[in-house]
Amino acid sequence: MDEVVRKIAALGLPGVVLLVTMASTGLAGAAAITAALAALGPAGMLGGVAFLGVVGIAGDALSKFGLEAILSGVYLERRRQGASITSLHREIDQLWVSNDLKRLLREVVSR
């Protein structure tokens, strides 16, 4: 088991996501990998592979900068691209984050 744990840990967060998805399919072997990748992405297996890549990038960014900094940057950029403050506030209110973080994001968007 130690060897399996080391291999999955080497993949990082995408490996964990793939492992959990594989376990939820109820299949084994190559069928489990195929089904898990197809379940992860909007375009079948290729979408699943792309999704795992995005998860890896996002996990890396979160570990370097933190959720607050990344979300602030995302909402600042969306505001610069022309999204209305009202629509961004509505979207922020729907996030599954703390009320303190929601308040901070609303302030960032309103500046």
Side-chain angles (χ1 to χ4, degrees), residues 17-63:
V17 171
L18 182 61
L19 180 67
V20 170
T21 309
M22 285 173 59
S24 69
T25 66
L27 300 172
I33 294 171
T34 304
L37 287 172
L40 285 174
M45 282 182 54
L46 293 178
V49 170
F51 175 77
L52 287 177
V54 170
V55 166
I57 292 167
D60 187 47
L62 279 171
S63 67

Side-chain angles (χ1 to χ4, degrees), residues 58-83:
D60 187 47
L62 279 171
S63 67
K64 286 182 184 174
F65 305 109
L67 182 61
E68 182 180 310
I70 292 172
L71 286 178
S72 294
V74 166
Y75 281 105
L76 275 175
E77 181 61 26
R78 294 205 39 225
R79 178 70 181 114
R80 273 184 274 222
Q81 291 176 352

